[in-house]
Amino acid sequence: MLSRTADHLYWMARYTERAENTVRMLDVSYRMSMLPRANGDDHANWRAILDISELSDAYVRTGRPLSPRDVIEFVLLDRDNLSSVWNCLRAARENAHAVRGKLTGEMWETTNATWLEIRDLTPEGLQDMDLGAFFEWVKFRSHLLRGVTVGTMFHDDAFQFARLGTFLERADNTARLLDVKFHALMPAGEDTHGATDYYQWGSLLRSVSAFETYRQVYRDVITPHKVAELLMLNHAMPRSLHACLDEIVDILGQVANSRSCETIRKAGALHASLHYGSMDDIFAVGLHQSLEKFLACINKLGDRISNDFLMPMAVA
Amino acid sequence: MSEVTKTGATPYDEMYTADGAVRPHYRPYAQWLEEVPRALIERKRSEADIAFHRVGITFNVYGAEGGKERLIPFDLLPRIIPGHEWSELERGLAQRVRALNAFLADIYHDQEILRAGRIPADQILSNAQFRPEMKGVKVPGGLYSMIAGIDLVRAAGADGSGEFFVLEDNLRVPSGVSYMLENRKMMMRLFPDLFSRYHVQPVEHYPDLLLETLRAVAPAGVVDPTVVVLTPGAYNSAYFEHSFLAQQMGVELVEGQDMFVQDDVLYMRTTQGPRRVDVIYRRIDDDFLDPLAFRADSMLGVPGLMRAYQAGHVTLANAVGTGVADDKSIYPYVPEMVRFYLGEEPVLNNVPTWMLREKDDLAYVLEHLPELVVKEVHGAGGYGMLVGPASTRAEIEDFRQRILAAPEKYIAQPTLSLSSCPTFVEAGIAPRHIDLRPFVLSGGKQVRMVPGGLTRVALKEGSLVVNSSQGGGTKDTWVVD
């Protein structure tokens, strides 16, 4: 297939996944801010949201106060914030538009309808909406596109590149979420217990739809160590780093070409570190350090995939 | 001038005779229309709007708010053509396109028609659309315009009959076929019961015919040719159609940046490395094909493409240089081409045309501007024309000056009273002017087309301009047995 076509499919999927994960993060912070007592000041919570997406500097430049309303508006709808959900869904639709002939009718209609619905949404309009319902809507539009893709698209290389985009983005997003939440929730490495853990870590689990799974897997109280294990190493947890790497390695094996050996090797090595890794090893190095290293690897992997298969990234 | 084209004649109506009776081929429709409640049709109309929007069948309008996407209005009332009329049209269209292709082959090789004095040589050789780069270039099957869109109009005769005339040949990159296909799909979805009352000849196999046509003109010796559709990109006004056709044919939709030329061979960049391309159905103009051969600032083409083409390593459909045959200044000679190359009398007539490069014609036209249509010979899409009866005195005077400055740039025709067809409008159903663009495919030895084509309708009352960029709409076109 055409490299440019693969590129558009890959980014269509990445942007959709990014929009979904962004509202997952917003959703959890929004819920936590409604708890009777939040951990320390509420600001840290909202700053964390911006940190996750490396948007703090951009946010400060807008001169907005660090209020929930303002942060939510910025992350959801800001036209100048290229990572806003609005911009992600626009970019997903533009990528789809560029290759609409390669999409099934349902895929195109899903992406296009999503965009048409959010296109004219303004901050004023947002104020009249039930935020929780809006978050759900974004999540379900992403579910729908993914489901329609799996359920209607011919499973050829085009399909594989769309899937590759989904899992690369998800691996990145889950790692960021964990990293920032650990920072925000355990500022000085102090250990907290009891009710705080339950609510704070519980809401993190909920944000990745893993609360019930946690109970099922551990049958135990919620501890940070186990939350990290579930989201990093458990291959059956669909949003875990391990699960994402399972998919990525599998897909790279299927689309391999004469240039991609080194990319496949690097992905395999990263996969092995999760497949054979233990939380003790990870905490020995430091969770933050481990996640930072993981994010750097994913980032490089993305560049390599672009150079081997897609449209090469412009050299800065 | 022919009797049939007098200004002010009562237009021929496709559905009703002059005394108001329903024509036989519209009777089952008229009956159906009486049976269904108007509210149902209204509902169907909004259903169609929503569906077209969701599918994204849109049209980018040049110059309108940064090329915003817009729906082309779709009218629910079909244009119906009786089978026997279509057979005649089909014969005439095939004949005309054969002659035009023969003309192009001749012009770029032996130029016999010029030597025979049937067309003034300077008309061709000094025409900006004549491409010297094509002289002596062998093209597969000797075919130049594999995909032609021939615009037909019907005008009322003095006796009330309606005759079809060719208004314009489109031999470069004619568009609109996707609307023909989507309109049919929509009509079948909205009004399945209507299709049980009529035997409507199918058009859905057009993409198949197109693919077969493109494969038939692959470079000699290529067994299983790789065909692609070349688009200027997602912001082009006809992008929907480009991607639609590529998808329907199951071939790649490429942009210039997806391809490169090495040793006069064309390749596209794929996830599995370079892959050779044999046939390009190109939807960009000659000027933009290759920055090394034509416009150097073009980002849309492929450097070196023209050399690969001249070497016979890749086929372009349509060929480079077809514009010399559909130029409005050449149009008056097409009937002569039919006689010269085929030794036949034209089945389809031209609209009578004054060539303003001729002194007598110019004098006549300047005297009769308010009743004529004047067209720029290189204009397209309804831009750069004067519709005398619909223009103010100031507009006419302005145009007069433009003509006087360069008369050779213009032709003039009588204001045809285009046939009308009942159309759903705000106030109910009213007649609106229509034309017809059948799509004629030439590949190998065959000239083929699907029955009908795209009917365009001028939605403004009294307007004769049917172009989609000028507020025109479309109708489904039925050829019925």
Side-chain angles (χ1 to χ4, degrees):
Chain A
M1 69 181 305
L2 276 186
S3 297
R4 187 176 48 83
T5 304
D7 194 71
H8 285 302
L9 289 164
Y10 170 86
W11 284 104
M12 173 193 78
R14 279 198 78 154
Y15 279 117
T16 306
E17 183 69 24
R18 190 175 297 176
E20 177 187 337
N21 289 322
T22 304
V23 300
R24 284 178 178 279
M25 289 183 279
L26 276 184
D27 193 21
V28 61
S29 297
Y30 182 60
R31 281 174 205 232
M32 280 165 72
S33 71
M34 291 189 296
L35 288 176
R37 58 156 303 284
N39 186 21
D41 70 328
D42 205 25
H43 280 180
N45 203 346
W46 293 105
R47 197 186 307 278
I49 286 282
L50 298 169
D51 286 343
I52 288 179
S53 321
E54 298 170 20
L55 287 171
S56 297
D57 294 346
Y59 190 81
V60 169
R61 279 197 298 275
T62 65
R64 291 169 184 256
L66 206 58
S67 78
R69 193 86 237 172
D70 282 280
V71 174
I72 287 174
E73 243 178 62
F74 178 75
V75 174
L76 281 184
L77 294 183
D78 197 284
R79 289 356 183 208
D80 298 325
N81 167 13
L82 292 182
S83 306
S84 71
V85 169
W86 189 87
N87 269 315
C88 283
L89 294 177
R90 182 181 57 81
R93 190 267 185 183
E94 275 186 7
N95 277 286
H97 188 232
V99 291
R100 57 168 299 170
K102 286 283 163 188
L103 308 178
T104 59
E106 287 104 316
M107 285 174 74
W108 164 247
E109 287 190 25
T110 303
T111 328
N112 195 37
T114 304
W115 167 241
L116 292 180
E117 248 183 274
I118 199 174
R119 182 180 58 183
D120 300 323
L121 185 59
T122 59
E124 295 71 46
L126 190 64
Q127 279 174 16
D128 301 333
M129 291 180 87
D130 173 354
L131 266 185
F134 181 70
F135 294 149
E136 282 297 295
W137 177 79
V138 174
K139 263 201 278 181
F140 273 87
R141 294 309 295 182
S142 169
H143 289 324
L144 187 59
L145 177 61
R146 204 166 40 248
V148 162
T149 303
V150 173
T152 65
M153 197 178 181
F154 188 59
H155 288 199
D156 59 359
D157 281 2
F159 173 76
Q160 301 298 354
F161 283 105
R163 299 286 285 169
L164 190 56
T166 300
F167 294 112
L168 209 72
E169 185 67 26
R170 187 181 291 172
D172 172 283
N173 294 173
T174 300
R176 280 175 196 275
L177 180 66
L178 256 183
D179 191 27
V180 173
K181 283 294 172 189
F182 261 82
H183 256 304
L185 299 180
M186 303 172 72
E190 79 205 57
D191 232 344
T192 53
H193 288 291
T196 313
D197 271 1
Y198 175 81
Y199 286 112
Q200 300 287 10
W201 295 105
S203 56
L204 173 59
L205 286 171
R206 278 183 223 279
S207 79
V208 289
S209 310
F211 187 81
E212 288 81 6
T213 308
Y214 182 96
R215 291 295 202 207
Q216 192 188 323
V217 171
Y218 296 105
R219 301 178 185 287
D220 193 1
V221 294
I222 295 175
T223 68
H225 190 280
K226 290 201 176 80
V227 170
E229 181 179 70
L230 182 65
L231 296 188
M232 291 177 77
L233 301 186
N234 194 313
H235 74 97
M237 169 65 220
R239 311 195 78 80
S240 77
L241 307 188
H242 189 174
C244 293
L245 261 297
D246 276 351
E247 299 277 358
I248 291 169
V249 166
D250 179 46
I251 294 166
L252 285 176
Q254 295 191 48
V255 298
N257 67 20
S258 58
R259 283 174 305 198
S260 64
C261 299
E262 183 59 15
T263 303
I264 288 175
R265 197 188 65 74
K266 287 217 153 64
L270 188 60
H271 178 246
S273 73
L274 297 163
H275 190 77
Y276 299 108
S278 74
M279 282 323 283
D280 290 342
D281 296 344
I282 289 170
F283 274 102
V285 178
L287 182 71
H288 175 59
Q289 285 78 0
S290 298
L291 287 170
E292 265 198 335
K293 196 171 148 219
F294 177 84
L295 280 170
C297 286
I298 283 289
N299 198 9
K300 274 200 205 116
L301 195 57
D303 288 350
R304 295 201 66 95
I305 288 169
S306 290
N307 284 316
D308 289 351
F309 303 100
L310 312 174
M311 303 299 268
M313 299 295 235
V315 184
Chain B
M1 289 283 96
S2 161
E3 270 301 294
V4 296
T5 53
K6 269 192 183 152
T7 313
T10 321
Y12 178 94
D13 192 273
E14 302 285 342
M15 184 160 169
Y16 298 103
T17 62
D19 47 15
V22 177
R23 296 184 193 278
H25 58 281
Y26 263 104
R27 270 177 212 150
Y29 186 85
Q31 199 187 348
W32 175 87
L33 200 56
E34 251 172 51
E35 291 165 17
V36 294
R38 201 43 48 92
L40 177 99
I41 291 182
E42 269 310 308
R43 209 168 59 236
K44 295 288 185 186
R45 182 146 83 159
S46 59
E47 209 177 295
D49 275 356
I50 291 166
F52 275 132
H53 238 302
R54 273 195 26 223
V55 181
I57 301 174
T58 55
F59 178 85
N60 299 320
V61 183
Y62 289 117
E65 291 177 65
K68 248 198 167 157
E69 292 166 29
R70 194 186 75 186
L71 284 178
I72 295 191
F74 169 62
D75 183 63
L76 299 183
L77 211 154
R79 189 259 185 88
I80 304 177
I81 302 173
H84 66 271
E85 278 187 9
W86 172 252
S87 310
E88 193 65 3
L89 284 181
E90 191 172 23
R91 209 161 63 82
L93 290 163
Q95 178 195 53
R96 189 169 176 106
V97 170
R98 273 186 213 282
L100 286 163
N101 271 312
F103 166 74
L104 283 161
D106 183 28
I107 280 304
Y108 288 119
H109 291 89
D110 302 334
Q111 305 188 334
E112 282 171 16
I113 199 165
L114 304 186
R115 283 191 273 137
R118 304 291 188 94
I119 301 179
D122 71 301
Q123 278 275 69
I124 305 296
L125 304 179
S126 64
N127 190 309
Q129 298 299 322
F130 179 74
R131 299 284 181 186
E133 297 89 341
M134 288 301 292
K135 268 164 65 183
V137 175
K138 275 204 160 35
V139 295
L143 291 169
Y144 288 77
S145 188
M146 299 76 154
I147 302 101
I150 310 295
D151 290 350
L152 303 174
V153 295
R154 182 167 6 209
D159 59 353
S161 69
E163 184 189 346
F164 279 100
F165 292 88
V166 176
L167 186 65
E168 189 171 286
D169 305 292
N170 295 278
L171 308 177
R172 303 174 217 189
V173 283
S175 64
V177 79
S178 57
Y179 300 103
M180 171 185 89
L181 296 169
E182 288 292 336
N183 287 354
R184 175 60 53 83
K185 209 157 85 184
M186 185 60 70
M187 283 300 275
M188 294 183 82
R189 172 170 157 182
L190 297 178
F191 306 111
D193 49 325
L194 264 177
F195 286 83
S196 62
R197 299 189 186 208
Y198 276 104
H199 287 285
V200 180
Q201 293 186 24
V203 296
E204 292 84 342
H205 56 296
Y206 177 84
D208 256 45
L209 289 185
L210 178 60
L211 182 60
E212 222 179 300
T213 301
L214 294 168
R215 290 174 63 99
V217 294
V222 178
V223 179
D224 185 14
T226 298
V227 176
V228 300
V229 176
L230 173 60
T231 175
Y235 297 99
N236 182 265
S237 63
Y239 179 72
F240 164 74
E241 179 159 304
H242 307 160
S243 83
F244 175 85
L245 289 174
Q247 184 187 35
Q248 294 296 309
M249 292 192 289
V251 306
E252 294 291 354
L253 177 68
V254 302
E255 294 177 15
Q257 52 167 324
D258 295 321
M259 300 191 287
F260 65 93
V261 173
Q262 200 176 330
D263 299 330
D264 291 349
V265 174
L266 181 71
Y267 299 92
M268 59 180 167
R269 296 186 175 89
T270 79
T271 55
Q272 294 296 306
R275 177 163 163 208
R276 189 165 170 164
V277 175
D278 304 299
V279 181
I280 305 182
Y281 178 28
R282 49 90 170 221
R283 297 294 300 255
I284 69 180
D285 292 335
D286 288 357
D287 278 340
F288 299 96
L289 277 178
D290 178 353
L292 301 181
F294 304 112
R295 276 178 63 158
D297 61 341
S298 169
M299 308 287 286
L300 304 175
V302 188
L305 174 58
M306 198 57 197
R307 282 189 48 158
Y309 179 49
Q310 286 165 328
H313 294 160
V314 61
T315 303
L316 290 174
N318 292 339
V320 170
T322 54
V324 72
D326 71 7
D327 193 80
K328 291 190 183 73
S329 68
I330 305 302
Y331 162 87
Y333 299 103
V334 178
E336 196 51 33
M337 295 176 196
V338 173
R339 294 182 198 107
F340 185 77
Y341 296 109
L342 307 181
E344 300 169 7
E345 270 308 301
V347 177
L348 285 167
N349 286 319
N350 269 8
V351 176
T353 302
W354 291 278
M355 293 185 266
L356 304 202
R357 64 200 300 274
E358 309 282 348
K359 270 211 170 67
D360 294 352
D361 285 11
L362 178 63
Y364 178 87
V365 168
L366 288 175
E367 230 164 86
H368 295 85
L369 274 181
E371 55 199 70
L372 301 177
V373 174
V374 188
K375 297 174 178 173
E376 232 178 280
V377 289
H378 304 307
Y383 296 103
M385 67 189 276
L386 173 81
V387 181
S391 302
T392 62
R393 187 174 293 208
E395 282 165 345
I396 290 173
E397 284 317 305
D398 176 55
F399 219 88
R400 183 191 304 280
Q401 296 314 314
R402 285 162 64 181
I403 294 172
L404 284 170
E408 70 284 357
K409 277 194 184 159
Y410 297 91
I411 57 164
Q413 292 168 338
T415 309
L416 290 186
S417 108
L418 299 192
S419 70
S420 62
C421 183
T423 298
F424 287 102
V425 296
E426 291 288 319
I429 296 179
R432 289 291 182 268
H433 294 299
I434 57 171
D435 77 351
L436 176 65
R437 175 179 289 183
F439 297 90
V440 184
L441 300 175
S442 308
K445 295 262 167 279
Q446 288 175 296
V447 178
R448 295 187 294 183
M449 62 207 88
V450 297
L454 179 68
T455 293
R456 298 183 296 179
V457 51
L459 293 173
K460 259 193 283 174
E461 193 173 353
S463 170
L464 296 173
V465 183
V466 293
N467 299 76
S468 41
S469 48
Q470 307 270 314
T474 65
K475 284 172 172 289
D476 192 15
T477 309
W478 296 0
V479 173
V480 298
D481 296 332

